[in-house]
Amino acid sequence: MINKNNPVLEIKDLKTYFRTTLGEIKAVDGVSFTVSSGKTLGIIGESGCGKTVTSLSIMQLIKSPPGRIAGGEILLNGKNLIGLPERELQKIRGNTLGMIFQEPMTSLNPVFTIGDQIMETLITHRKMNRSEAKAIVLELLSKVGIPSPQIRINEYPHQMSGGMKQRVMIGMAIACNPKVLIADEPTTALDVTMQAQIINLLYTLQNEMGMSIVLITHDLGVIAETAHDVAVMYASKIVEYASVEDLFQKPLHPYTQGLFESLPALGNRDMKLRAIHGQVPNPLCYPSGCKFWPRCPHAEKKCREKEPRLEKISGRLIYCWKVAEEKSALYGPLFCEKSNKKDKEMNSDSSFHKELLQVKNLSKFFPVKGGFFSRAVGFVKAVDGISFTIKTGQTLGLVGESGCGKTTVGRTILRLMEPTQGEVFFEGLPIFSLKPKLLRKMRQRMQIVFQDPYSSLNPRMRVGEIVGEALSNHGLARGREVRELVENLFTKVGLSPSYFDRYPHEFSGGQRQRIGIARALALNPQFIVCDEVVSALDVSIQAQILNLLEKLQNENNLSYLFIAHNLAIIEYISHAIAVMYLGQIVEQLPAKNLVKNALHPYTKALLSSNPVHNPSQRGRSAPLAGDVPSAINLPSGCRFHPRCPIASKICSQEAPNLKKVEDNHWVRCCLVQ
Amino acid sequence: MSEDIEKTVYRHDDSDLPPHISNVKRFWLQLCQNPLAFWGLILLGLFFLTAISGTILTHGDNPIMDPEQVRLVDTLKSPLSKANIELLTPKERPLFDIYFLGTDKLGRDVLSRALQGAHVSLLVGFISVGISVLLGIILGALAGYYGNYVDSIIMRAVDIMLCFPSFFLILTIIALLPASIWNIMIVIGLTSWPGIARFVRAEFLSLRKQDFVTAAEALGLSKFRIMFVHMVPNAIAPVLVSATIGVASAILTESGLSFLGFGVPPPDASWGNILADGKEFIFDAPWLFIVSGTAILVTVLAFNLFGEGLRDALNPKLREL
């Protein structure tokens, strides 16, 4: 049942519209929900569904023009915030309503110390003097888990890590004991280990202070760990509104079901992901009738014609007349099926696959310049002695927290950066000693797909030209042929061939990623570095791209180096997994053994930091404390020992080597026998 | 039934993309939202028309309006005054026998001189800026792409160029060279590239880190192609803006030079030397400086306004879509 007792914040039929040159965008269209005292409401949905606009509307921070609140009520303790004069609102913001933003890097002012920034809210709202405020700030900082607050209070934002800054943001938001805390994607920009810490912090703070939280996220795991009630948003509307237990037990709306099924879960790699077809519609041209019907597997004629209302079924609200009529979830085309490809692969003898790429003792150091005449005063050891092999038609997953050197590995292998040391053999050819002419020829066989679908396509070129450029440049095709080949590639990656003459900005993130994949495939390579290809995408699109990559691998016998920070995705797509920490591989093992057989404490910590999709298991303590240390001053001995939960004396003295524990399984740890 | 749905689903897929707006149309929409830029553009259009029609009317052996025709009987006539028809030969008579904007101390028709001046200003503005943009883009691109020594050398050259007060540098060079409008253009062009080179270099430094440049490298494209096909079009927006404003400043520089007597050699007219001629008769024949001064003011203003509008229209951060 949805919590409706002691409502602190009630949103009734909220409508926020934006005026643009192409027409009015209904970013939030009739959204209602209730946040009870001391409870958390989670709002989940893909990007462009109106989650952030909802939160900004509650704070009355919508810029006008072009935006305006076109209707509805926002009741905070029974008082309507809409239409209040700016002075009144200023008293509420930061006082009874606190807010945390997604990007901790930009939401703190770089020219003030963090102490001053937190004090500012206290001085404004609580009319304190500086010394009173300072005492409270010190208390707050230790409350949000910042070590040695006496020193940290005088530091500037750039001196802190992302996780620390997010803690400071939380401290700032709770400084005045707000009744309601609005958290807009508070963990999205953070690593899993840091995410686990922040989730844990929010959980403890809520229990201590009894505040209500509105938590906006796209991650079902975060919802499962924090929320009491969940509102699922799609295309500016709430499509399902239920308590978290109900929702995770059985999602009813086809969109919610789709979200669940497009998410890889740890230890479940044999399942095939059921991606929701298509993408979130452009708010300028919403479909008629039900907003979800173009992507819904159960859509009927009636869905196109009549817009459903939110209807109450067994304690929850559903925006689907079909579910409402049948009073249960719809079954049919949406269910998990076993992918047969991986089974085949697992049964086959691994020696059947030829070794395609060998990396031997690869290192890449970046000089740190300083002093007179910018001499190198030190080195960032981004990659420090890494070796692995990738076989034909297989995927090696490279996983680790940000800053551990994953991306550098990918780029150095392709010689997009010059290595400091080591060798890479591609089909026996030493990549690092190739002459420029031969290297350009080799580039046809090894390609890369990037993380950011926005910066990876040249905004001034037509997408057809982007994909076809290399073909004509390497003399593989000319004129009419190029266009035909490109149109074939478009079909192959699931784009309409008619998009040839469009520009990148006209496409959504997922479509752009498909264009990036088409570009990589154009030269018919054998090996592709996939550098965080899905981490910038929404879950439903993420599943589409993962399925596409698998399909292409089967069809063309491609090998991937798949770089990601999400362990569940890595486990799903890879055949073998290498876990990196501070420039070194700490464990390498077959993907199917990851959950059962992982030995290194870091791998284990990553596994348990991954949010569990089970609301009854919440409130666990975060498995790893602290941050990744700087790669300039590496810890002595084992690089992981300062954070390692099982570290002993020997760990700080002796640097462990990669040990073979069984076939295809290596671990770098002194304590593992 | 289900077939019907499938068809509709597919059709919807095809129209998934937002309505196609060409870049030109988007740019135009953006420009029209800024009234000042819009009027700047209109004024620029008028300026071009004037300059082109001026060229047609005042050029050739027997022009329709002769800016160089001296009429000693009609000196310093005020605007709209009638020509002294009895004393003038048919060749000397102005168009419609009226001096629309008056005459100067030699009885030359100010309207035809101003028209010829528009042509000079247009030429100076565009050719000198063309030279500086070309140089600036090439040098800035090389500096930004290669970095290290190439960057140091080019940027030190830029610093040296920026050390000189450019107007006096131009004056010195012009004084040493034979007076000609082409020399002026080349000299202005060769002294105003450092700003543009800096812009392009800065853009290149940030573009260098963008994935599409790495992707082009990974595809095995040549450095030349990466620089000039992939990166330059992305670095061109600030250059265009500064070039537009650069045209205005080139026109001003030329006027200044002509005013000081180092510019367009007589008998050719330019707004600067009309102004210089007018300074002796500032109270007796105010139309001389009013006409040329207004022309310079309006043109420079139009270019600057348009440049501002261009900056907004080309800035992707200000785009709604």
Side-chain angles (χ1 to χ4, degrees), chain A residues 284-333:
Chain A
L284 278 169
C285 35
Y286 277 146
S288 62
C290 171
K291 302 265 186 290
F292 186 58
W293 77 258
R295 306 178 74 187
C296 182
H298 311 286
E300 280 177 20
K301 200 161 161 244
K302 189 178 166 192
C303 302
R304 266 182 290 164
E305 285 159 2
K306 196 179 137 218
E307 173 149 23
R309 287 179 307 133
L310 266 182
E311 283 179 79
K312 203 165 187 169
I313 307 158
S314 51
R316 42 175 132 181
L317 293 169
I318 297 285
Y319 170 84
C320 177
W321 59 269
K322 232 174 147 177
V323 175
E325 253 171 32
E326 300 197 5
K327 300 212 181 299
S328 74
L330 303 168
Y331 292 100

Side-chain angles (χ1 to χ4, degrees), chain B:
Chain B
M1 182 72 203
S2 71
E3 212 176 87
D4 180 35
I5 291 279
E6 252 166 44
K7 243 189 263 161
T8 2
V9 166
Y10 188 72
R11 209 193 55 228
H12 190 272
D13 250 19
D14 250 2
S15 60
D16 251 359
L17 295 187
H20 182 80
I21 312 171
S22 70
N23 280 0
V24 180
K25 193 175 170 200
R26 171 192 306 275
F27 173 74
W28 180 243
L29 281 175
Q30 211 79 38
L31 199 69
C32 289
Q33 281 186 353
N34 183 343
L36 283 177
F38 181 75
W39 287 109
L41 186 65
I42 300 260
L43 283 176
L44 280 190
L46 283 176
F47 169 61
F48 273 87
L49 271 180
T50 319
I52 290 165
S53 60
T55 320
I56 297 168
L57 290 173
T58 59
H59 257 245
D61 286 338
N62 206 355
I64 302 167
M65 297 169 81
D66 190 350
E68 287 157 26
Q69 183 63 54
V70 177
R71 309 174 187 87
L72 293 172
V73 288
D74 275 341
T75 54
L76 297 181
K77 286 265 189 182
S78 61
L80 289 176
S81 56
K82 287 217 167 59
N84 206 339
I85 305 169
E86 299 91 55
L87 294 174
L88 291 175
T89 63
K91 197 178 161 278
E92 288 174 344
R93 282 162 64 174
L95 195 62
F96 305 123
D97 294 333
I98 294 174
Y99 303 113
F100 286 97
L101 294 176
T103 61
D104 63 6
K105 63 177 176 190
L106 293 176
R108 293 177 296 193
D109 180 25
V110 174
L111 175 63
S112 29
R113 287 185 71 74
L115 282 176
Q116 193 186 33
H119 157 78
V120 169
S121 294
L122 185 78
L123 217 59
V124 169
F126 277 83
I127 294 192
S128 56
V129 167
I131 294 171
S132 71
V133 163
L134 205 68
L135 266 178
I137 286 182
I138 294 175
L139 291 172
L142 290 173
Y145 188 84
Y146 286 103
N148 282 338
Y149 297 108
V150 182
D151 185 31
S152 304
I153 293 169
I154 294 177
M155 282 302 118
R156 292 308 74 78
V158 165
D159 291 343
I160 292 169
M161 290 297 289
L162 289 174
C163 283
F164 291 105
S166 63
F167 193 77
F168 295 102
L169 183 66
I170 294 170
L171 266 182
T172 318
I173 301 175
I174 295 288
L176 299 173
L177 288 175
S180 124
I181 180 169
W182 298 101
N183 281 339
I184 294 178
M185 292 179 205
I186 294 170
V187 170
I188 296 180
L190 289 181
T191 49
S192 52
W193 59 269
I196 289 179
R198 278 199 162 170
F199 274 130
V200 175
R201 172 180 174 268
E203 287 289 309
F204 262 56
L205 288 181
S206 74
L207 284 172
R208 192 83 185 76
K209 296 195 188 84
Q210 300 248 323
D211 285 342
F212 73 84
V213 175
T214 318
E217 229 168 284
L219 287 170
L221 304 180
S222 68
K223 285 186 170 148
F224 182 81
R225 195 177 166 83
I226 294 175
M227 262 191 272
F228 291 101
V229 178
H230 284 263
M231 293 167 82
V232 165
N234 284 290
I236 210 81
V239 173
L240 268 183
V241 174
S242 84
T244 320
I245 294 169
V247 171
S249 85
I251 291 175
L252 274 181
T253 310
E254 185 277 327
S255 307
L257 287 173
S258 294
F259 183 82
L260 294 175
F262 289 97
V264 177
D268 280 339
S270 101
W271 292 341
N273 61 28
I274 301 176
L275 199 62
D277 287 348
K279 74 174 190 292
E280 297 163 38
F281 309 102
I282 199 156
F283 297 112
D284 302 321
W287 57 88
L288 283 174
F289 82 84
I290 290 177
V291 167
S292 48
T294 316
I296 294 170
L297 177 84
V298 169
T299 311
V300 169
L301 196 66
F303 271 107
N304 282 341
L305 289 180
F306 179 65
E308 288 284 315
L310 207 59
R311 188 198 314 263
D312 295 349
L314 291 174
N315 186 350
K317 279 185 200 141
L318 297 173
R319 260 183 213 160
E320 295 173 24
L321 294 165

Side-chain angles (χ1 to χ4, degrees), chain A residues 26 64 119 127 145 163 170 173 205 226 275 292 344 351 360 372 385 391-392 434 454 505 522 543 545 563 587 597:
Chain A
K26 298 183 175 178
S64 168
M119 268 188 252
K127 306 277 177 280
I170 293 174
L205 285 176
T226 54
F292 186 58
K344 192 182 73 196
S351 63
K360 283 189 183 159
F372 284 118
K391 293 177 175 170
T392 318
L434 286 182
Y454 292 88
H505 68 82
I545 298 292
I563 300 168
E587 181 160 19
N597 289 358

Side-chain angles (χ1 to χ4, degrees), chain A residues 354-357 390-392 425-427 526-527 559:
Chain A
K354 231 173 45 206
E355 281 182 2
L356 181 73
L357 184 92
I390 297 178
K391 293 177 175 170
T392 318
F425 296 98
F426 184 76
E427 290 191 316
Q526 283 146 300
F527 170 64
S559 306

Side-chain angles (χ1 to χ4, degrees), chain A residues 13-27:
Chain A
D13 201 28
L14 179 71
K15 290 178 177 157
T16 309
Y17 297 169
F18 289 87
R19 189 162 294 145
T20 70
T21 37
L22 295 178
E24 196 158 51
I25 289 180
K26 298 183 175 178

